[in-house]
Amino acid sequence: MKNLIAISAPSGTGKSTLCEEIRIKKPEIKFSISCTTRPRRDYEIDGINYYFLTDVEFMEKVKNNELLEYEEVHGYYYGTLSNTLNNAISSKELMLFDVDVNGAMSIKKKYPNNTLTVFILPPSIEDLKVRLINRGTDSQEVINKRLERTNKEMKFKDKFDTFMINDNLSSAVEKLNKIIINLKQGVEYGS
Ligand code: ADP
Ligand code: 5GP
């Protein structure tokens, strides 16, 4: 049975919100906590949402081969701890990874038989802009940077095993929940 779910979406789609909802609904599912050099948002907790590191601390982890993959996204570093992934593989426990498109491809490449990749789409680019603005965490400059990356990320959609649209939040939570239930039941998506 596949037990790694790598989820990607253009910034602002609602991926973190969806993962948070799943976290509440299914507390038995583990979440990979990534390392990042991005500044912490007010509502984020170090060690729960991310491990917030300085550039020096992050590079130390890279040097020590502690990260299975890492990427520079919107000007900051983000990476998945090898230990987290290895523990999920050995325990066979279900684990969600909130990663960018390259991160999802890296996890799939490393563990093709264990990984399901899921791409989440916003209803439209206009909705995406509104969500980024309403989130209220980023300056217009940062929002533009995030939107600029959207085209590149959208091109990866067909490389994912499956995709879903985050339109209405509660129905999107149900869609993601269904994907997880199907996975547990051994339903195969894509390759
Ligand atoms: P991401 O992690 O993909 O960058 P977030 O989860 O931070 O995105 O969501 C971006 C903003 O959109 C947040 O303010 C969140 O409350 C809002 N949001 C998430 N899902 C929906 C939805 N289905 N409909 C409307 N707003 C949403
Ligand atoms: P945010 O700053 O909005 O939390 O995240 C920005 C982007 O970085 C998102 O696409 C998110 O999925 C991605 N990201 C978060 N953690 C990781 C990680 O460990 N590896 C990779 N490759 N991307 C990550």
Side-chain angles (χ1 to χ4, degrees), residues 15 34 38 41 50 69 71 78-80 98-100 146:
K15 179 167 38 88
S34 297
R38 166 168 77 61
R41 296 175 185 146
Y50 282 108
E69 62 80 34
E71 288 294 327
Y78 297 82
T80 307
D98 170 343
V99 287
D100 89 310
R146 286 176 179 265

Side-chain angles (χ1 to χ4, degrees), residues 62-137:
V62 173
K63 208 176 80 195
N64 296 336
N65 283 324
E66 288 178 62
L67 301 178
L68 175 108
E69 62 80 34
Y70 72 97
E71 288 294 327
E72 194 183 333
V73 187
H74 315 126
Y76 296 106
Y77 288 111
Y78 297 82
T80 307
L81 288 162
S82 301
N83 263 346
T84 305
L85 212 95
N86 294 339
N87 288 342
I89 290 293
S90 55
S91 69
K92 299 188 169 64
E93 283 174 326
L94 219 52
M95 186 173 273
L96 288 193
F97 294 80
D98 170 343
V99 287
D100 89 310
V101 289
N102 294 318
M105 295 301 116
S106 300
I107 294 170
K108 179 85 180 179
K109 193 167 173 204
K110 174 87 181 169
Y111 292 113
N113 299 328
N114 298 70
T115 309
L116 178 78
T117 52
V118 181
F119 193 79
I120 305 180
L121 290 160
S124 69
I125 297 299
E126 208 37 56
D127 283 293
L128 190 65
K129 284 184 193 161
V130 170
R131 286 182 190 180
L132 281 170
I133 294 166
N134 288 349
R135 185 167 69 186
T137 54

Side-chain angles (χ1 to χ4, degrees), residues 3 147 153 189:
N3 66 317
L147 286 171
E153 290 167 326
Y189 289 95

